[in-house]
Every structure is written in C-alpha cells, then in structure tokens.
Amino acid sequence: MTTNLTIGERVAWYRRRRGMSQEVLAGLVGRTVDWLSKAENNRIELDRLSVIKTLADALDVTLGDLLAEPTLMEWTTDSGTRTVPALRSALMNYRQLTPLLGVTTEGEPTPLDELKNSVAEVWDAYQDSRYGFATRRLPLVLADALITAQAQQGRDRERAQELMAMTYQGAAMVLTKVGETDLAWIAADRGLSAAQQSDNMAVTGSLFRSVAHCLLSNGRFEAAVQLVGDAADYLRPALRNADAKFLSIYGTLFLAGSMAAARADDRATTRAFLGEADRAARQLGHDANHMWTAFGPTNVAIHQVATAAELGDMQVAMDLGPQIDTSGLPTERRTRHNLEVARALSAHNRADDALSMILEAEQWAPEQVRSHYLARELVLTWVRNQRGRPSRPLAELAHRLHVV
C-alpha cells in the first residue's frame, strides 16, 4: 500500500494509522516537531538507517515497513515464472528440520564436483546481481545438496555439508537483496547448522557473516555487532595458520560488523572493525574473491565510504567515494558503491551527478538497483521535489523502478 511513498511519507502514513500526533512521535525519537514535519514532507532526507530504525521502533513497525520491502521480483528470461514462492517452499520443507521422523528425501545423490559447480553458479549469479536466475536455481540446488549430504559418509559427507552450507548462504544473500528478510534468516540459520557439521572454519565464518547480514536487514544492529565480536573471538585462533580463504572470510566478517556498528551509531566500534578488516586486507595484499568475498583493500575502502554515510558524514563519503576504482570488483560490489556515492552527492544537492551514478549502476545491475531501497528512495524523492516536470532520464528511471 505504501510502495509509491517516500520513507518520510510512510512515517506520516503509519503515524496517522497509530493515531499519533507529530508532537508525540517527535518526542519518542528525541527530535523536534519541525524536524519531523520536514522529514514527512521530504524537506529532510531520511537516508540513515539508524534514524529510520528509531522511527520504526517508535511506530511499532519493522524497518522493512518503512523501507517498503519486500519488492515484487519481476519475471525475466533468467527467472522464469517461479521465483521467491518456489524458494520459500524449498526452505519450508519439513524434511529438513529433523531426522527424528525417519524420512529421507527421494532422489539420487549428485556427484560432489557437480554439486560444487552448481553452488558456484548460484554464487556467481549473486555477484553478477542476477537475482532472478539465482532464485530459480536455488530450490533445485538445495534439494540436490540435501539428498547428497544424506547419502554420504565420512569426509565426503563433510564436503557435502560444506556445499549445503554455502547453498543456504547463497539463498540468504539473494533473499536479503530482494527484501525477503524473514526467509533469509531461515536460510542463514540452516546454513550455519550445516557449516558446523562440516567442521570447516572458513565455511563456518562465512555463515557467521551471512547471519550478521540478516540481522542488519532486520534492523537488529546491536545484535549484529555482538555477533561479529563473538564470531571473531571464535575464529581468531585459526588466524595463526590462515590461508587466503580464511583471511578473506575473517576480514569480510569485520566489514559486515562495521556496517552494523555504523547503523547503531557506534563510531568507536566502526573504527575498530574497519581497522581489523584493513589489517586482514593488508596481510592478504591484494583484491581477491576467495569464497565470493570480493575482499581486499578496495572493499575496505568501499566500506569506509558506506560507514561514513551511515554515520551522517556525507562530506567524507563524497570526498572518498568517487576516488575509489571499483572496476576490478564483482558487479554487486560496484553497484552498491555507486548507490552510496549517489546518496552522498544527493545530500549535497548534486542530484544530477547522483542520478548519473544510479543510471550507470542500472546499466550494470538492473535487478539490484530496482530492489535496493536507496535507489528507490533517492529517485522518488527527486521526483517529489521537482518544481516542474522531471527530466526525461529521471522520469524514465522512476518508471523502471516502479516508484511512480
């Protein structure tokens, strides 16, 4: 019902539904009535998730409610006509819950190398921002992984559990991107359970990162910070003999933690987590993509920009963001960075430059841009604030994002 409203307009919509005056809501979030009135009327951009989460809590709604998530996944050649509901059915298969019922999943096990290739196909699609393709493939890969894990013994069973964990993580990451945060939590939880049975520290660390992302997407910023700290304590002893994969997983966990700390408005922890990630990146020595982490010095720099924006330091984000060369990173990372730079530019009234950043990102990753709240919110706000007709590029983009 509120898809075509800005975040500020959604705040007003839910406030009225709650029978709450501006004076009451402003008092609950520690702001003035003037500030709230400007936010509801798009004269102040609500572009920090920490602020949006405070408003959501006061209104007793979810963060996703104010961000207008989830969004409908469009049918494409990649996705076919069975998208998120099919993946939901796969995740809610009761046979995955417990062996106590004595029920095994029917089908022939998949050779481990073939299953490994299928998992890689899903993750490559995620990093290419081809969410429709990944969503279509995931139910089949999950079924194959489950059947294969049940059929194996010894080391082969551990390998199958590793692959099942990474499949669940792929599902969690894709579902988070398209706004299906509750389903993403189920997938991350299942993946962490499989990772623990694999006895592979790198895979377990990778699933910790996925759980942190799920907490972030559900607005549980402090819990995500705590998880990253606890997970790091668990993983740290393995750093003594760390290979490039483990080092990448370890560093990427702190990048997720830095975003959580920034959204919790915790500057000290943000700096500490970015420092840990930077040390891991310098030890790795270069940009890499071990276990689909895209980890290295460039990804750390990207997170320095993103955390600055989340903390409200838009000048820092605007100064640093355009200087970062993301051409060597996966599409998903490049696109996400463009959106952050667009947010900083928009905050400094450079809407035309910000629009160019989003249009460039849309060329790379149309599915990602359409599903991300930042792109939708920026474009809708620009349209709302136009005195006359919006420019043709802006109007056409708004139409493609389905925000008008």
Side-chain angles (χ1 to χ4, degrees):
M1 292 176 65
T2 66
T3 299
N4 295 334
L5 303 181
T6 65
I7 293 174
E9 290 166 348
R10 274 181 226 115
V11 169
W13 191 87
Y14 282 112
R15 177 179 59 75
R16 288 190 289 268
R17 284 291 303 272
R18 293 294 186 201
M20 191 182 295
S21 68
Q22 286 186 330
E23 288 79 5
V24 170
L25 180 57
L28 289 173
V29 298
R31 301 279 183 160
T32 65
V33 174
D34 182 62
W35 178 89
L36 181 60
S37 177
K38 288 178 179 177
E40 291 185 348
N41 288 284
N42 304 317
R43 287 181 288 159
I44 291 177
E45 291 185 6
L46 291 173
D47 53 11
R48 295 179 59 196
L49 286 178
S50 59
V51 176
I52 300 168
K53 179 61 167 57
T54 300
L55 287 162
D57 289 344
L59 291 165
D60 193 28
V61 298
T62 69
L63 180 63
D65 288 328
L66 292 188
L67 299 181
E69 294 178 337
T71 57
L72 179 69
M73 178 175 282
E74 292 184 352
W75 289 339
T76 65
T77 304
D78 266 354
S79 71
T81 58
R82 286 178 56 78
T83 56
V84 173
L87 182 51
R88 178 182 288 108
S89 295
L91 290 171
M92 297 183 73
N93 181 353
Y94 75 90
R95 294 183 176 189
Q96 301 176 48
L97 297 177
T98 176
L100 297 178
L101 299 177
V103 179
T104 57
T105 304
E106 297 178 357
E108 292 295 320
T110 303
L112 289 174
D113 286 343
E114 183 179 331
L115 181 59
K116 181 180 179 181
N117 290 337
S118 295
V119 175
E121 185 180 42
V122 167
W123 271 95
D124 289 343
Y126 166 76
Q127 289 198 320
D128 288 340
S129 302
R130 296 169 58 206
Y131 303 140
F133 176 84
T135 302
R136 177 168 64 87
R137 287 287 292 133
L138 275 163
L140 298 175
V141 180
L142 281 171
D144 287 345
L146 183 62
I147 293 167
T148 303
Q150 289 176 343
Q152 303 297 336
Q153 299 293 330
R155 175 56 190 148
D156 283 347
R157 183 178 179 84
E158 290 181 358
R159 284 187 61 203
Q161 291 288 349
E162 292 170 11
L163 293 171
M164 186 156 64
M166 295 303 294
T167 306
Y168 276 122
Q169 184 180 5
M173 300 296 274
V174 171
L175 287 165
T176 297
K177 287 291 187 183
V178 300
E180 297 284 355
T181 57
D182 291 341
L183 282 182
W185 177 262
I186 293 173
D189 178 68
R190 298 263 178 85
L192 185 56
S193 177
Q196 290 170 314
Q197 295 182 59
S198 76
D199 200 30
N200 183 318
M201 287 285 279
V203 172
T204 300
S206 190
L207 267 296
F208 281 139
R209 172 172 67 108
S210 189
V211 173
H213 279 296
C214 288
L215 290 169
L216 272 174
S217 64
N218 280 286
R220 300 191 61 195
F221 308 141
E222 292 83 0
V225 170
Q226 184 65 52
L227 169 71
V228 169
D230 292 342
D233 289 343
Y234 174 78
L235 296 172
R236 196 168 284 115
L239 279 176
R240 288 190 292 271
N241 301 306
D243 59 9
K245 285 184 179 181
F246 186 84
L247 199 59
S248 297
I249 290 295
Y250 184 78
T252 307
L253 178 67
F254 280 105
L255 293 183
S258 71
M259 291 300 296
R263 291 174 184 175
D265 216 18
D266 183 346
R267 290 177 177 272
T269 303
T270 300
R271 286 194 298 270
F273 281 179
L274 284 173
E276 287 277 2
D278 184 58
R279 282 187 284 276
R282 283 189 278 109
Q283 186 175 342
L284 186 64
H286 58 278
D287 291 331
N289 195 27
H290 299 293
M291 294 182 70
W292 300 280
T293 56
F295 185 69
T298 303
N299 207 351
V300 174
I302 283 176
H303 279 76
Q304 289 171 340
V305 171
T307 53
E310 290 291 352
L311 289 166
D313 301 331
M314 292 299 179
Q315 186 65 54
V316 174
M318 192 173 71
D319 290 344
L320 293 179
Q323 300 177 25
I324 300 173
D325 179 8
T326 63
S327 59
L329 296 187
T331 299
E332 182 274 331
R333 287 285 80 208
R334 299 178 68 199
T335 301
R336 185 68 180 85
H337 180 64
N338 263 40
L339 296 182
E340 287 294 351
V341 176
R343 168 165 62 165
L345 290 168
S346 181
H348 282 79
N349 298 315
R350 292 175 57 183
D352 289 343
D353 293 333
L355 176 60
S356 296
M357 297 295 291
I358 293 181
L359 289 172
E360 181 181 49
E362 188 194 23
Q363 291 180 340
W364 303 332
E367 291 182 64
Q368 183 176 356
V369 170
R370 181 179 178 272
S371 64
H372 202 283
Y373 87 92
L374 260 183
R376 299 195 313 270
E377 180 66 16
L378 287 171
V379 170
L380 183 55
T381 300
W382 296 334
V383 171
R384 287 280 198 275
N385 290 339
Q386 289 285 314
R387 291 202 177 117
R389 283 188 154 199
S391 67
R392 183 172 179 178
L394 176 57
E396 290 178 347
L397 177 59
H399 177 72
R400 291 193 298 274
L401 298 187
H402 302 293
V403 296
V404 295

